[in-house]
């Protein structure tokens, strides 16, 4: 090695050693793009107090709005939101990177957490909303940004009269934060990927503070979203009664990689602060904005269950909209679908070309429907507390009376199982019933006690009956006895729920030929194995789903009733129909 190479090698080693020592002492070098450059145009910072929130009423907070010098006010700008005010020398970094062309023209919105101010600060303490707003794994903070704050900023003017216009496109929007502000950033994008697509978090609070420890598990189950995420963490971060921040960030990274997200991480030996995050912030911004304006892409989910159930390039398709409240879908023997509009008491038909037509009006608020082995379509008419049966020509017979049924499953032997939840919200202290109606119309109450018995389905071999309890997060399993009655009731499936909800709002239940149980919930359609473990969560385009069925000629297309809309999506699974001969699925793994 020549003398000058020895010197260069020595100097490089010295620099690396110095950096390592600085990092070990939680001291990080200042990035050159975090330093003001006199040759770079400076953006303007507007400040104001925001105290008109409808999502967090009574709160007051300070807001900083950064507007780059290059923004002309004629076209919408990209958006960067950060919790806890201006962090990471962000405004200087933006000046430099926008000037260099390494990030788009971006307006920064820096948000302090809310306070509920007291009248006498000397004797009283303000209520701080930081943990509630940031640490909660709910969408309240995202809604606050979307409904309260950003509309207020839209239309503001800079000192020279440029009006602020923010792009509404997710690909143009980033959200960031440190500690609790970090988990707030990820939660906002994870729950509303239509609002944000790029996320930066430093020492994120992914621990058991307000449910944050659940995110790593949900990432693996929820169908991947178009997000790009940068995580920073340190081995000397907090380790407290609520969890280990360092391990929590690593769990997030591994889950995001498992699910195929665009994710990058920077680990160090630092503590619970923004020093490391600040030192790498300029390069993180370059990576997060790379390929803009293209939307971040998923690289392919690694999960066995995802890949055996979902076809990634087969998205949801809108079949119909403009209804009141859709429910009770059922597939015909040839793959066509019927569904009900509860609010308008109508039944609709979807043919094999996905053309929708009104089939019946004045259905007496018909809800659940199922086909029987006799080829008739059975319908629960709630308003008149009757069970109807329609033949191919549309002739109606009244099969049973005195049951205000919600949903129905019909076995191959003709036995009909019906859920009857509490009919009035004011009577929620009462309990629900599960009924057996035999082919001759004879009724028998089989179970009483669920909070709100809702969806119902038989296992493919018809040895188990599954019932969803809307007011809890449980699916109950009963063993079907030879005489059609039920025994050995137990809570089989633990469902995920929104952290903002007290229940999973479990509704429609279906099974596929492999023995898996599919459940419509507030989070989406949860696909569970036959041992009762949720594996995959499918979100619908509008975030709503009350019920669904397997339809189409091959029973491999989901038709989902989603509020005022109906969507369909092709999947790899094949639905099992209880009116057909029982199918024995494989024994589940323990």
């Amino acid at each position: 090695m020549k003398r000058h190479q020895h010197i260069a090698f020595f100097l490089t080693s010295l620099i690396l050693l110095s950096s390592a020592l600085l990092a070990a002492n939680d001291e990080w070098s200042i990035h050159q793009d975090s330093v003001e450059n006199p040759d770079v145009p400076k953006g303007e910072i507007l400040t104001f107090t925001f105290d008109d929130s409808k999502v967090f009423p009574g709160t007051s907070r300070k807001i900083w709005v950064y507007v780059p010098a290059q923004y002309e006010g004629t076209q919408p700008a990209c958006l960067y939101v950060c919790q806890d005010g201006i962090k990471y020398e962000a405004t200087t970094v933006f000046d430099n990177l926008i000037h260099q062309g390494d990030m788009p023209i971006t307006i920064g919105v820096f948000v302090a957490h809310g306070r509920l101010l007291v009248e006498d600060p000397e004797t009283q303490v303000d209520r701080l909303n930081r943990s509630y707003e940031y640490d909660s794994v709910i969408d309240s903070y995202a809604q606050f940004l979307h409904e309260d704050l950003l509309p207020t900023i839209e239309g503001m003017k800079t000192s020279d009269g440029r009006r602020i216009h923010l792009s509404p496109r997710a690909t143009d929007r980033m959200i960031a934060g440190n500690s609790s502000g970090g988990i707030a950033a990820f939660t906002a994008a994870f729950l509303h990927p239509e609002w944000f697509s790029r996320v930066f978090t430093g020492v994120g609070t992914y621990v058991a503070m307000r449910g944050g420890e659940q995110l790593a598990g949900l990432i693996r189950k929820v169908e991947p979203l178009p997000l790009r995420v940068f995580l920073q963490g340190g081995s000397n971060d907090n380790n407290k009664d609520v969890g280990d921040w360092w391990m929590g960030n690593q769990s997030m990274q591994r889950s995001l990689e498992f699910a195929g997200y665009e994710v990058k991480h920077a680990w160090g030996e630092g503590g619970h602060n923004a020093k490391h995050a600040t030192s790498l912030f300029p390069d993180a911004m370059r990576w997060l904005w790379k390929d803009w304006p293209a939307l971040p892409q998923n690289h392919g989910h690694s999960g066995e269950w995802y890949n055996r159930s979902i076809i990634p390039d087969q998205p949801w398709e809108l079949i119909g909209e403009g209804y009141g409240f859709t429910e009770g879908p059922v597939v015909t023997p040839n793959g066509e679908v019927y569904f009900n509009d509860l609010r308008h008491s109508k039944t609709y038909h979807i043919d094999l070309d996905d053309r929708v037509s009104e089939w019946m009006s004045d259905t007496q608020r018909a809800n659940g429907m199922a086909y029987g082995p006799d080829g008739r379509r059975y319908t629960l008419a709630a308003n008149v507390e009757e069970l109807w049966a329609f033949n191919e020509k549309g002739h109606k017979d009244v099969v049973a009376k005195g049951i205000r049924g919600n949903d129905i499953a019909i076995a191959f032997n003709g036995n009909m199982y019906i859920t009857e939840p509490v009919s009035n919200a004011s009577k929620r202290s009462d309990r629900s019933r599960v009924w057996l109606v035999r082919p001759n119309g004879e009724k028998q109450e089989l179970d009483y006690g669920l909070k709100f018995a809702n969806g119902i389905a038989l296992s493919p071999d018809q040895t188990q009956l599954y019932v969803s309890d809307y007011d809890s997060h449980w699916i109950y399993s009963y063993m079907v006895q030879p005489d059609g009655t039920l025994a050995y009731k137990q809570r089989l499936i633990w469902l995920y729920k929104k952290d903002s909800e007290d229940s999973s709002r479990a509704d429609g239940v279906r099974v596929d030929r492999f023995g898996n149980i599919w459940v419509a919930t507030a989070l989406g359609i949860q696909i569970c194995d036959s041992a009762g473990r949720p594996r995959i969560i499918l979100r619908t385009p509008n975030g709503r789903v009350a019920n669904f069925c397997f339809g189409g000629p091959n029973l491999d297309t989901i038709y989902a009733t989603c509020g005022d809309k109906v969507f369909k999506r092709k999947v790899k699974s094949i639905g099992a129909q209880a009116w057909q001969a029982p199918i024995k699925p494989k024994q589940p793994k323990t």
Side-chain angles (χ1 to χ4, degrees), residues 96-233:
N96 290 325
L97 296 192
I98 292 172
H99 177 71
Q100 295 166 23
D102 288 341
M103 65 179 283
I105 294 175
T106 302
I107 289 175
V109 176
F110 303 89
V111 188
H113 64 81
R115 291 171 175 262
L116 280 90
L117 304 178
V118 296
E119 294 183 1
D120 184 4
E122 293 187 5
T123 60
Q124 300 171 322
V125 178
D126 293 343
R127 189 179 87 187
L128 302 184
N129 247 30
R130 185 173 185 268
S131 179
Y132 172 64
E133 293 177 8
Y134 292 176
D135 294 319
S136 300
V137 187
I138 59 179
D139 73 344
S140 295
Y141 183 71
Q143 293 288 351
F144 160 76
L145 295 174
H146 183 69
E147 297 177 8
D148 289 346
L149 182 59
L150 296 181
T152 300
I153 293 172
E154 281 273 3
M156 290 178 61
K157 293 183 179 181
T158 60
S159 59
D160 59 3
R162 291 170 291 158
R163 186 176 294 275
I164 293 177
H165 298 289
L166 304 174
S167 171
R169 301 190 309 170
T171 192
D172 299 337
R173 292 177 162 213
M174 182 187 300
I175 187 165
N178 230 56
S179 185
S180 294
I183 190 174
F186 182 82
T187 300
F190 187 64
L191 297 183
H192 286 285
E194 74 277 18
W195 296 342
F196 298 98
S197 66
R198 305 165 200 274
V199 182
F200 177 87
T201 80
V203 293
T205 304
Y206 303 112
V207 296
M209 192 87 78
R210 292 178 181 265
E213 79 286 359
Q214 298 180 36
L215 280 173
L218 280 172
I219 288 166
R220 294 170 179 263
K221 291 178 169 61
V222 173
E223 187 172 12
L225 307 166
L227 301 179
R228 182 178 295 157
V229 183
F230 193 104
L231 302 168
Q232 176 272 322

Side-chain angles (χ1 to χ4, degrees), residues 42-44 66-71 95 98 105-108 162:
K42 302 292 185 294
E44 179 179 357
Y66 161 85
V67 183
Q70 295 86 346
Y71 176 70
D95 284 340
I98 292 172
I105 294 175
T106 302
I107 289 175
R162 291 170 291 158

Side-chain angles (χ1 to χ4, degrees), residues 346-361:
K346 293 182 177 182
T347 298
Y348 290 87
H349 172 251
I350 305 173
D351 67 18
L352 294 178
D353 293 319
D354 291 329
R355 292 174 298 200
V356 182
S357 59
E358 182 179 320
W359 186 83
M360 182 181 181
S361 60

